[in-house]
Amino acid sequence: MSEENLPDDTRAEYGAAYSEHPERLGHPDALPEYAERVLEVADLVPPGRVMTYGDVAEWLEEGGPRQVGRVMALYGGAVPWWRVVRADGVLLPGHELRALEHYRTEGTPLKEAGRAAEGHLPRLDMRRARWDGGERAQGHT
C-alpha cells in the first residue's frame, strides 16, 4: 500500500516514517514480511477488544513486544492501531485522546482514572478487554 492510498488522518501517523526512509523497506510499496504479519494480527482484533504487543509476538511465535511496538510505530496507522496496546493498559503516549475516542466508540472496557493519574486519563481494563484470539486462534499457524 503506498502512502498516496492512505486516508489523510492515517497518513500523518503512517506516512512520515514510510516516506522519509523508503530505503529501509527495499521498495516504497513493500512492507517487511514481519511487519505484514504483525499488521494482519492487529486487523484480527475485534472492536472493543485489545491485544498487547507481547500477545501479538506470542501469536506470531516470533519477535517480542519491542519488535511489535516498532512495527506498530512505523506502520500501524494502516490498521486499528488502538487495539494493540501496552500490557499495563496505559493509553498510547501522544495518541491518548484519539485512542480514547476509539475505545469509547467501540465499548472497550476502561478503568476510570484516579485523581493521582497523570492527565486524569482512564486506562484499559486489561482483564476484561484483552483478546486471546478466540476461535480465530484455532486457525492460526
Side-chain angles (χ1 to χ4, degrees), residues 8-106:
D8 289 337
D9 62 333
T10 302
R11 193 174 301 136
E13 292 173 36
Y14 180 81
Y18 183 84
S19 62
E20 290 173 16
H21 303 287
E23 70 282 358
R24 292 182 184 169
L25 304 177
H27 184 273
D29 288 336
L31 286 176
E33 188 268 335
Y34 182 73
E36 285 183 22
R37 293 176 60 214
V38 167
L39 298 179
E40 287 171 4
V41 174
D43 248 349
L44 292 175
V45 181
R49 303 300 297 273
V50 298
M51 287 182 93
T52 68
Y53 299 121
D55 292 340
V56 173
E58 188 175 321
W59 173 291
L60 293 173
E61 299 175 346
E62 182 180 355
R66 290 183 183 197
Q67 289 85 356
V68 172
R70 179 83 173 140
V71 167
M72 294 303 294
L74 291 175
Y75 313 111
V79 297
W81 54 267
W82 59 93
R83 296 183 193 150
V84 181
V85 301
R86 294 172 37 161
D88 63 5
V90 171
L91 305 186
L92 182 64
H95 301 279
E96 298 93 340
L97 298 179
R98 288 189 58 211
L100 189 55
E101 184 178 323
H102 287 292
Y103 298 139
R104 288 186 170 147
T105 299
E106 294 182 356

